[in-house]
Amino acid sequence: MSSRDLLNDLAAIRHPMPTAPDRDQTSPEALEAAIADVHEARAAFVANLEAAWDGNGPGFDPLLATIEEMDAVKAHADAQIRLLLAYGRAYVTPRPYTLEALGQAAGLSPSGASRAFGADEVVEVGDRTGLRPPASTVTDYDRDAHFHPGQASYTRCTWGGGDKTNPCTDDPKYTVTDKSGTLWACCDNHLPRYLASRPQS
């Protein structure tokens, strides 16, 4: 097999041609435009692989490189799904999505949906959106008892909003537990935000 045949085969697998079943309402013009888009995508795909091959030398394997690329895409999509599950379960109010509904959307069982995300994903959603889920309890902050190195709450106030590049700079003094069971570090300045988020009795 020539290198050109290999690249063309990979392009055909990566960018399949659209089809229009007999009962499809796609117009001939729209189908023609879609086919043109695929030809353009295939040409760009082949050009990128050729450039990578030239740049990396004979040790470059375009098939393995394409598999690695798609694996990275899948890993990114899986991470996004975990964040979305955390959002639906921990942040949506007044009634969070059920694990059954979230699991069905993600192709998981309810228990699989529950295990798919944890405290890190809940905190990450908070960092990205500036939201905080409904809280349930507050205790004195104990970094080593409540958190582990690598967690954001191990070093900073995570209940205060902001994100990794613009964090709250006040020292944590409390540990907030939200309704999902996730623990957050909280400073004096953001304690009122915790109190405001508590479900009203």
Side-chain angles (χ1 to χ4, degrees):
M1 177 184 293
S2 70
S3 60
R4 171 58 63 174
D5 288 340
L6 172 61
L7 296 183
N8 286 336
D9 288 345
L10 295 177
I13 295 170
R14 184 70 176 81
H15 300 281
M17 283 293 173
T19 58
D22 292 340
R23 287 176 289 181
D24 195 341
Q25 298 301 311
T26 303
S27 68
E29 293 79 10
L31 180 60
E32 184 176 342
I35 292 173
D37 288 342
V38 170
H39 281 302
E40 183 177 344
R42 287 185 180 184
F45 176 83
V46 169
N48 288 336
L49 281 181
E50 286 178 332
W53 210 337
D54 291 340
N56 290 279
F60 178 76
D61 189 312
L63 171 59
L64 298 182
T66 302
I67 293 173
E68 289 171 356
E69 176 193 6
M70 297 312 301
D71 184 61
V73 170
K74 181 176 70 171
H76 177 73
D78 287 342
Q80 294 291 305
I81 289 172
R82 290 194 297 272
L83 294 176
L84 293 168
L85 292 171
Y87 175 79
R89 190 62 178 162
Y91 289 87
V92 173
T93 59
R95 298 181 62 183
Y97 282 81
T98 65
L99 290 172
E100 288 79 5
L102 293 172
Q104 185 174 13
L108 299 169
S109 66
S111 60
S114 177
R115 293 192 302 269
F117 67 92
D120 289 343
E121 284 77 21
V122 175
V123 173
E124 180 69 20
V125 170
D127 278 347
R128 294 189 182 195
T129 63
L131 299 173
R132 293 297 176 265
S136 55
T137 61
V138 60
T139 58
D140 290 335
Y141 179 75
D142 187 332
R143 183 178 71 175
D144 294 315
H146 299 155
F147 308 103
H148 59 75
Q151 284 186 298
S153 295
Y154 192 78
T155 57
R156 66 179 175 90
C157 169
T158 50
W159 192 257
D163 55 32
K164 296 172 184 175
T165 61
N166 184 34
C168 172
T169 58
D170 292 344
D171 292 334
K173 292 190 177 180
Y174 311 98
T175 296
V176 172
T177 304
D178 70 30
K179 297 295 285 185
S180 73
T182 302
L183 303 182
W184 304 72
C186 182
C187 67
D188 270 333
N189 186 48
H190 288 105
L191 186 61
R193 185 171 183 172
Y194 156 76
L195 296 172
S197 74
R198 294 186 65 182
Q200 300 298 312
S201 57

